[in-house]
Amino acid sequence: MRKIFLTTLLFFVIHQGFTQANYPKNYFRSPLEVPLILSGTFGELRSNHFHGGLDIKTQQREGLDVVGIADGYVSRIKIQHWGYGKALYVKHPNGYTSVYGHLKKFSPEIEAYVKKQQYAKKSYTIELFPKANALKVEKGKLIAYSGNSGSSGGPHVHFEIRDGNSKPINPMFFGIDIPDSQNPLIRAGVVYSFGDSTHVDGTNALKELIIKNKNGNLVANPIEAYGKIGIGVNAVDKLDGALNNNGIFNLRMTVNGKKVYEHEVNTFSFAETRYLNTLIDYERYHKKRQKIQKCFVEPSNKLSIYKALENNGYVTIEGGLSYNIEVIAKDFKGNSTKLIIPVKGKKADKIVKEEIKKTPHFFRANEFNKLNKENVSVAFPKNSFYKDIYFDFNYDGRIAKLHNGGIPLHRNFTLTFDISNHPAKDKSQVIITSINKKEKLSYASTRRKNNKIYTLSRSLGNYTLAIDSIAPKVKPVNFKNKQWLSNYRYLKLKITDNLSGIKSYRGEINGKWVLFEYEPKKNLLTYDFNDGKLEGKKHELKLTVVDNVNNTNVYIATFNTK
């Protein structure tokens, strides 16, 4: 007996060690010198992924000092038009890596290192992996300036801490303290029915709960149910000093005092993050922009965030019994909000059933599926879908209808158009576009093979063909042709394209390649005169801009400097 007890105790201790990592609390400091106020929390629900770090507000401006959170060295530098924009990765002696995204520029030493490589490769976008002794970082010393580059929706610093396997971890585990005295909000609750005989208040359709505040807790109006049900809630967190709706840290559910569901986003792998689409009610999000988090785990859900599950969170309601279901949303500081759902088990004599829309095409998620009609075909690899569905497909000679955007996909499908019958003069300019609800066309990255064009996508909806025969436009912003620019620091131009978008650009001054930084959100190209001294007084600027079907605009202007 003693041996069994010790073995059990040892297992418990080891298990706790793996599930509750002992993160260093005083090793790292803040990446900014201003008070930390967040616009985004770790694990927050984003489009098709969990947020991998903290979004730190920068007082609605750019150019704040970003400092190293500990000693180390720059292990990676990546500059891209979208995503994290200008991003810096710092490797620390304790095995962790800190990440800083949406930067405006780097510290002078790092900036010089990067520009040298950009000029060598003749490319603004670049990814570098400096050697360990190339760019040292000291705790608290300047490494960059905050900005708004990449896919940022406003000035802020995206900040991460990753482990040795490149998995992001909530920085708050490391002592990065964020003031938070406010409880999360549970703004909506729903009940799902599973199985032919299951029903809630006489129907198997989704049931929206009516929620009221009673004695400090949220209480739903009592419901009558029978069979296998699932609960979902829309929950957000509020932090001190900000109005943003942030992500919650922990969500759990109990039934008659027994825990049946709990998840907590402490860390995750980037390979699994797209399974977020199985955590939320994606169809409801598509229709109402409301993120309902399911307190149950569907078979296709492969997330590693779950701490406790009883029957995968599903609740079986039996006739004649009463149930008290409680859903608790909690933030990192332990502030919490509870939703109480009283349920009476009662089997209805008659069930109003929600009609299932059936189509000629039934897809099994674990199989390869392909459809053809006239000159259009669409192919879905195995496990593209999270569950079996009736798929709505049609092609009317102009628009290819691929179900609707309310169904999430895990893998890319291939949509192919045969353009053999198109006039030869147009073939090189034919592209595939998606069509939104307002009939606006958006370029879908189009590839070509003989007389066929195709695109890879994970977004269902309507697609059609279009012709892009118009070259990009170039417009100078802060200068005119033949102008004297002796006291100018920057040369700025705007580049735009009407349909397929900018594929590439190349700037030259006096026949030599020069670095133009591209900010696609503003359609802005910027050249820094400090990059190098120009010889002579008269200079020729040549800017070549190409769109995604190779329509080209060559803009030439002259300017003078002393």
Side-chain angles (χ1 to χ4, degrees):
M1 178 67 83
R2 175 180 168 82
K3 183 176 181 181
I4 293 174
F5 172 77
L6 289 174
T7 302
T8 303
L9 179 63
L10 180 62
F11 171 80
F12 176 79
V13 171
I14 293 173
H15 180 69
Q16 288 296 98
F18 279 114
T19 57
Q20 299 181 20
N22 186 23
Y23 301 111
K25 295 292 191 295
N26 300 310
Y27 191 89
F28 297 124
R29 57 149 289 161
S30 168
L32 294 173
E33 302 287 4
V34 298
L36 298 187
I37 299 175
L38 302 185
S39 60
T41 51
F42 183 87
E44 197 166 279
L45 307 179
R46 298 292 176 88
S47 177
N48 301 305
H49 69 282
F50 292 109
H51 188 229
L54 304 179
D55 281 347
I56 305 173
K57 289 176 178 282
T58 55
Q59 303 173 340
Q60 299 182 335
R61 57 196 176 105
E62 300 180 39
L64 297 186
D65 288 0
V66 179
V67 300
I69 62 171
D71 290 349
Y73 66 91
V74 176
S75 59
R76 182 185 179 196
I77 304 166
K78 187 171 184 179
I79 298 177
Q80 54 188 332
H81 296 141
W82 299 106
Y84 288 175
K86 291 186 177 183
L88 204 60
Y89 299 71
V90 177
K91 181 79 172 177
H92 303 286
N94 63 352
Y96 294 101
T97 296
S98 54
V99 183
Y100 315 79
H102 307 306
L103 304 170
K104 181 178 183 178
K105 60 180 180 178
F106 308 111
S107 68
E109 181 187 8
I110 300 173
E111 188 79 6
Y113 177 91
V114 172
K115 281 200 172 183
K116 182 178 180 180
Q117 297 300 318
Q118 288 174 316
Y119 270 90
K121 297 177 183 294
K122 296 183 179 180
S123 174
Y124 168 65
T125 58
I126 200 166
E127 186 170 18
L128 305 170
F129 298 90
K131 294 181 180 179
N133 60 353
L135 297 169
K136 294 287 187 179
V137 170
E138 293 183 38
K139 186 174 184 177
K141 295 296 180 67
L142 179 73
I143 57 173
Y145 297 93
S146 68
N148 186 30
S149 59
S151 299
S152 171
H156 75 279
V157 172
H158 174 85
F159 170 66
E160 296 179 21
I161 296 178
R162 298 184 183 180
D163 67 13
N165 295 315
S166 295
K167 292 177 65 176
I169 302 166
N170 190 337
M172 296 172 73
F173 278 120
F174 297 87
I176 305 296
D177 188 50
I178 308 297
D180 183 6
S181 60
Q182 304 184 57
N183 293 333
L185 301 177
I186 296 179
R187 303 189 294 188
V190 298
V191 186
Y192 302 88
S193 297
F194 299 96
D196 292 336
S197 62
T198 299
H199 52 83
V200 179
D201 288 344
T203 178
N204 70 346
L206 179 145
K207 171 70 178 181
E208 296 193 20
L209 297 172
I210 299 173
I211 300 172
K212 298 176 181 178
N213 198 320
K214 291 185 180 179
N215 301 321
N217 285 321
L218 300 175
V219 181
N221 282 3
I223 59 173
E224 292 183 347
Y226 180 82
K228 182 180 176 182
I229 66 170
I231 306 295
V233 296
N234 173 243
V236 298
D237 190 31
K238 292 289 187 177
L239 302 176
D240 295 350
L243 299 175
N244 303 74
N245 293 320
N246 298 120
I248 59 173
F249 173 67
N250 178 285
L251 187 66
R252 60 187 168 93
M253 183 175 74
T254 64
V255 179
N256 294 338
K258 182 180 180 181
K259 187 193 295 184
V260 299
Y261 175 93
E262 184 177 15
H263 85 247
E264 195 171 271
V265 191
N266 301 326
T267 183
F268 57 86
S269 70
F270 290 109
E272 71 177 296
T273 187
R274 194 173 179 85
Y275 285 105
L276 171 140
N277 291 330
T278 63
L279 170 66
I280 67 170
D281 185 333
Y282 192 92
E283 185 174 7
R284 189 178 180 88
Y285 171 66
H286 176 72
K287 290 179 179 178
K288 298 189 174 185
R289 312 314 290 177
Q290 182 188 63
K291 292 178 180 176
I292 294 288
Q293 299 188 53
K294 301 171 186 174
C295 297
F296 54 90
V297 180
E298 295 176 304
S300 58
N301 184 336
K302 292 180 172 54
L303 293 173
S304 61
I305 63 175
Y306 299 101
K307 298 184 68 176
L309 291 173
E310 181 76 25
N311 194 30
N312 281 329
Y314 295 99
V315 183
T316 301
I317 306 298
E318 298 181 15
L321 299 180
S322 295
Y323 301 81
N324 186 67
I325 298 177
E326 295 184 352
V327 180
I328 302 96
K330 188 169 66 173
D331 63 27
F332 191 87
K333 289 293 184 73
N335 304 307
S336 65
T337 295
K338 180 190 295 184
L339 169 63
I340 300 171
I341 309 170
V343 182
K344 180 180 178 181
K346 184 177 180 181
K347 188 173 184 179
D349 296 329
K350 186 178 180 180
I351 305 173
V352 178
K353 292 195 174 184
E354 188 176 36
E355 182 182 356
I356 299 175
K357 184 181 178 181
K358 295 185 178 181
T359 72
H361 315 292
F362 183 72
F363 286 175
R364 297 196 181 277
N366 63 351
E367 295 178 357
F368 171 81
N369 296 280
K370 185 174 182 179
L371 296 171
N372 299 278
K373 187 174 182 182
E374 298 177 20
N375 63 318
V376 173
S377 68
V378 58
F380 298 91
K382 180 179 177 181
N383 296 322
S384 293
F385 297 89
Y386 294 108
K387 57 185 177 182
D388 301 347
I389 68 163
Y390 283 99
F391 191 80
D392 190 8
F393 170 75
N394 189 42
Y395 178 62
D396 62 4
R398 186 177 77 88
I399 296 174
K401 180 181 182 182
L402 308 182
H403 206 78
N404 63 70
I407 300 296
L409 293 178
H410 199 72
R411 301 180 186 278
N412 284 320
F413 63 84
T414 303
L415 174 64
T416 303
F417 287 82
D418 189 325
I419 58 171
S420 300
N421 295 328
H422 270 71
K425 64 182 181 65
D426 293 338
K427 285 184 180 179
S428 64
Q429 296 175 327
V430 176
I431 57 173
I432 302 173
T433 64
S434 62
I435 314 173
N436 68 12
K437 294 178 181 179
K438 296 181 180 180
E439 299 296 312
K440 181 180 178 181
L441 302 183
S442 295
Y443 174 67
S445 182
T446 304
R447 307 181 187 190
R448 302 173 189 277
K449 187 174 182 180
N450 300 325
N451 281 320
K452 293 182 178 181
I453 60 174
Y454 65 97
T455 188
L456 305 178
S457 177
R458 286 189 285 198
S459 297
L460 297 173
N462 294 338
Y463 289 82
T464 191
L465 297 180
I467 294 176
D468 183 0
S469 60
I470 301 175
K473 293 182 179 180
V474 178
K475 182 181 179 181
V477 173
N478 66 338
F479 72 97
K480 296 179 181 179
N481 190 30
K482 299 181 180 181
Q483 185 177 345
W484 281 87
L485 304 178
S486 300
N487 298 320
Y488 276 53
R489 170 69 189 274
Y490 299 106
L491 198 61
K492 298 183 178 183
L493 304 97
K494 278 198 171 183
I495 58 174
T496 56
D497 188 69
N498 72 315
L499 188 54
S500 66
I502 305 296
K503 180 174 75 172
S504 66
Y505 65 90
R506 178 185 175 89
E508 296 178 358
I509 295 179
N510 302 331
K512 293 182 179 180
W513 185 92
V514 292
L515 175 65
F516 273 95
E517 296 200 0
Y518 182 35
E519 176 51 83
K521 293 196 296 288
K522 299 178 180 179
N523 301 311
L524 187 65
L525 287 176
T526 303
Y527 167 71
D528 187 345
F529 280 110
N530 284 354
D531 281 0
K533 182 174 176 58
L534 299 178
E535 297 180 0
K537 293 183 178 181
K538 187 175 181 180
H539 312 285
E540 182 185 79
L541 166 67
K542 180 180 179 182
L543 181 64
T544 304
V545 186
V546 183
D547 69 15
N548 279 291
V549 291
N550 295 321
N551 295 310
T552 302
N553 185 353
V554 179
Y555 173 85
I556 295 177
T558 60
F559 62 92
N560 301 296
T561 61
K562 291 181 181 179

